[in-house]
Amino acid sequence: MSYICPLCNGLVVPEQACPHCLQGVLECGKLDDYTGPYSPYVFQPSSDTADEVENVCNHVMYCHHCQTSTPWPVSLWDLSGNL
């Protein structure tokens, strides 16, 4: 089955609150864009992230209020429209 990320494809609007200060956050793209093969950043996955889970697209959310970045796993949709 083929899956798409609803956030990457503009099908949903992120309405996420910062886990530190509960202010609104800005979606800054896919985590893979920051940690790709030519990126200067190295991401160390841990057991509490969703990187090991299939059917997830990890995005980066940034809070301007407390200046923190948070990874945000987005569940993928299959192309038949099922969630």
Side-chain angles (χ1 to χ4, degrees):
M1 233 184 254
S2 253
Y3 293 91
I4 61 169
C5 174
L7 190 55
C8 289
N9 290 286
L11 301 173
V12 295
V13 176
E15 294 181 5
Q16 186 76 3
C18 175
H20 305 286
C21 68
L22 303 179
Q23 298 292 317
V25 293
L26 175 67
E27 195 272 324
C28 295
K30 292 172 48 171
L31 183 60
D32 289 344
D33 293 343
Y34 294 92
T35 60
Y38 302 107
S39 172
Y41 308 106
V42 177
F43 178 69
Q44 299 294 328
S46 65
S47 61
D48 59 276
T49 62
D51 284 18
E52 299 93 22
V53 179
E54 289 185 33
N55 304 332
V56 171
C57 183
N58 289 300
H59 285 257
V60 176
M61 307 302 269
Y62 179 74
C63 177
H64 287 285
H65 185 261
C66 63
Q67 299 179 352
T68 58
S69 295
T70 305
W72 184 39
V74 177
S75 296
L76 299 181
W77 294 355
D78 68 21
L79 290 180
S80 65
N82 296 326
L83 297 176

